[in-house]
Amino acid sequence: MQFLPIVTLIAAAVIALRRSASEAFLNVYLPSLFLLPMYYRWVVPALPDPTFQQAAILPIALVFFFREPRRWRFTTADFFVCGLAICIGFSEFKNTGYKEAQNLMFDMAADVVLPYILMKGLIEPNRLRVTFARRLVMLMFAVSVVSVYEFRMGVTPWKAMNPLFPGQGLEWYTTFRYGFARVAGPYGHPILAGLVLVTGFRIQRWLEWSGYWEPRFRNLPSLGLSKARIITLGLIAGMAMTLCRGPWLGGLVGAAVTAIGRAKNRKRALLIIAASIVVVGVPAGIAIYNYAKVGRAHARTAEQETAAYRKELIDKYLDLAMERPVWGYGRNTWPKIHTAPSIDNYYLLLTLMHGLVAVAFLVAIMIVMVFRLIRFELRAPPVGPPGSSLGFTLAGIYIAIAITIGTVYLGLQTVPLFAIVTGWAEGYLTCAPAAATAREAVPARVVPFAFRRVVV
């Protein structure tokens, strides 16, 4: 039954051909990305082994390239995203040869380049911003609701397909903290789930602040809360159930950046936030360093032991990384130290696997995009209610990602999610200014008022 990803491939192809690439992207690719585990693959002899998500995106991309190639314009982010993918693929080829590199090259194309291209080319140009955001948020809200079972019972329902994919996904298992299961959902690891849900939470807050939700769920009691507020609380619960401090910290700092968009004087708010980060961040960084430098052997709590372990990673692996700084050692061939087998820092791990060039591309994407988004919003006049500035929301997401991946690796769904955010941001920035800043109409299925009276 390992051929099951063919279902998403066929569904995406049918919808893309009969309707449009954007319909297939919204109705097949996004649900497969956020509801189906990415550690299940269709094992094809002598060919790359696609996941559900990769199988879905291939026909969508082909239809897009055949029907809408003239709409594409080369822009700044294209260079960095394609550069990152090519650099990682070439590093693997240089270290392990083509046989091993072909799978990683396929992953980079299907999980990085294609999601970026489709987000940039389909969402903003077709004015699907709100439709996409609502779809993404509802999928993550559904994951949060289902994850209550995992949090309570300590067993994840997302592995029900294990018998259909023998030998796959065994490396991902439920972990516990404070006596509770750490929810991972279909994302493999709790920290990855935390990062996904933090991203969804930020997008949901943008939708809520912008007034892009109808007052209540259809055919469901409101319980005195609006639909938007119920979704927000559900995503907060989902993040809380992961019990992961890294995404929480990243989300808090990202929220500070997003808050700039809600201020009346954005430039002054930016200066205050930047100064606060420096004033608070520098002493906090020194305190964290002193807290971690005691070593695992002298740690007093489990939290201090975790912090000490992350510092030891840098001490032990940095010299190894600098022995091959340009292209690294390869995805699975980097030297492992038996006392520190897990590298909970993606910047360090990426350096070991694929070198500093890959790290430079990754960091450049985040820095350049945050700078461009903030500059764009500061130059544009405020449109809509406070908080409806998409640029500051996307900048806050980048900050959350940048901080979180310092505590875990970027993998599974978080890789295409990063590409999706980048494609969305680039599409937002490169559309005509009037289209990018104008408030979109509420989708047809959304009722803009709490009630209406009809006289017959």
Side-chain angles (χ1 to χ4, degrees):
M1 297 294 287
Q2 292 184 6
F3 61 83
L4 276 177
I6 199 173
V7 174
T8 57
L9 186 151
I10 294 173
V14 170
I15 294 177
L17 289 170
R18 291 187 175 183
R19 299 181 184 178
S20 66
S22 57
E23 287 271 349
F25 185 82
L26 292 170
N27 296 326
V28 180
Y29 178 70
L30 287 184
S32 68
L33 179 62
F34 293 111
L35 297 182
L36 297 177
M38 212 167 173
Y39 39 75
Y40 296 132
R41 289 181 176 270
W42 178 13
V43 179
V44 184
L47 293 175
D49 305 327
T51 64
F52 285 97
Q53 300 77 12
Q54 293 168 346
I57 205 168
L58 293 178
I60 301 173
L62 286 175
V63 172
F64 173 77
F65 291 142
F66 276 106
R67 290 182 177 176
E68 306 180 58
R70 295 182 180 180
R71 297 177 59 180
W72 187 263
R73 289 193 302 124
F74 184 85
T75 57
T76 303
D78 298 9
F79 168 75
F80 291 109
V81 172
C82 293
L84 175 64
I86 292 171
C87 176
I88 290 176
F90 177 76
S91 164
E92 190 69 12
F93 172 75
K94 184 177 177 63
N95 284 295
T96 63
Y98 177 75
K99 184 177 180 181
E100 293 295 327
Q102 71 164 359
N103 292 322
L104 184 55
M105 291 176 180
F106 175 76
D107 287 348
M108 287 296 101
D111 293 337
V112 177
V113 178
L114 294 184
Y116 165 78
I117 289 175
L118 294 178
M119 275 300 300
K120 177 186 171 183
L122 292 175
I123 301 305
E124 290 294 325
N126 293 322
R127 298 186 65 80
L128 293 171
R129 181 189 309 170
V130 176
T131 303
F132 162 76
R134 285 165 55 101
R135 182 67 48 81
L136 181 144
V137 165
M138 286 305 297
L139 291 170
M140 295 182 186
F141 177 69
V143 170
S144 297
V145 172
V146 175
S147 292
V148 173
Y149 177 85
E150 181 179 2
F151 184 72
R152 177 65 181 84
M153 305 303 294
V155 178
T156 175
W158 304 105
K159 282 201 168 185
M161 288 190 292
N162 265 10
L164 305 178
F165 294 87
Q168 298 188 31
L170 300 180
E171 68 274 25
W172 305 106
Y173 50 87
T174 302
T175 59
F176 292 80
R177 178 174 285 172
Y178 312 129
F180 295 99
R182 301 171 67 194
V183 165
Y187 311 123
H189 192 280
I191 299 184
L192 299 181
L195 181 54
V196 171
L197 294 174
V198 163
T199 302
F201 174 76
R202 286 265 55 92
I203 296 172
Q204 161 57 15
R205 293 296 280 166
W206 171 74
L207 287 169
E208 184 176 6
W209 291 332
S210 302
Y212 284 133
W213 286 112
E214 53 267 79
R216 58 180 59 87
F217 285 98
R218 184 181 301 176
N219 301 323
L220 289 177
S222 63
L223 303 176
L225 298 173
S226 67
K227 179 177 181 178
R229 186 51 51 88
I230 291 173
I231 296 172
T232 297
L233 293 175
L235 291 174
I236 291 174
M239 291 187 293
M241 288 186 293
T242 64
L243 299 175
C244 292
R245 295 178 291 267
W248 294 348
L249 176 61
L252 285 174
V253 181
V257 175
T258 303
I260 299 171
R262 292 177 58 82
K264 293 182 178 180
N265 189 326
R266 295 179 175 184
K267 292 183 179 179
R268 182 172 64 186
L270 175 62
L271 293 176
I272 293 173
I273 293 296
S276 300
I277 291 175
V278 172
V279 171
V280 176
V282 172
I286 295 172
I288 292 173
Y289 176 81
N290 291 330
Y291 179 73
K293 73 177 183 180
V294 299
R296 282 184 285 173
H298 299 92
R300 296 182 178 180
T301 63
E303 288 76 11
Q304 189 173 23
E305 183 178 359
T306 300
Y309 176 73
R310 286 186 165 90
K311 180 184 179 300
E312 289 178 12
L313 288 174
I314 298 175
D315 296 338
K316 293 179 177 180
Y317 279 106
L318 191 58
D319 289 340
L320 284 173
M322 290 303 100
E323 290 179 10
R324 300 178 70 169
V326 180
W327 301 114
Y329 294 89
R331 176 167 57 169
N332 298 314
T333 51
W334 53 274
K336 297 177 177 63
I337 298 174
H338 72 278
T339 57
S342 174
I343 298 186
D344 300 333
N345 182 320
Y346 188 67
Y347 301 106
L348 177 59
L349 180 60
L350 187 60
T351 303
L352 283 165
M353 293 192 300
H354 304 298
L356 290 174
V357 179
V359 176
F361 273 111
L362 176 66
V363 173
I365 290 172
M366 293 186 284
I367 292 176
V368 170
M369 295 307 295
V370 168
F371 173 79
R372 292 175 64 209
L373 287 164
I374 292 177
R375 183 183 63 178
F376 179 86
E377 294 296 349
L378 291 178
R379 291 178 175 179
V383 177
S388 60
S389 165
L390 180 60
F392 283 109
T393 291
L394 294 174
I397 291 173
Y398 275 115
I399 297 298
I401 292 173
I403 292 174
T404 301
I405 63 176
T407 65
V408 73
Y409 91 120
L410 193 70
L412 299 181
Q413 280 92 336
T414 59
V415 173
L417 178 60
F418 179 78
I420 283 172
V421 170
T422 303
W424 193 11
E426 189 67 6
Y428 176 71
L429 291 169
T430 55
C431 281
T437 58
R439 177 175 169 81
E440 286 192 34
V442 179
R445 63 181 177 276
V446 178
V447 181
F449 303 102
F451 64 89
R452 62 180 179 179
R453 179 176 299 169
V454 179
V455 178
V456 180

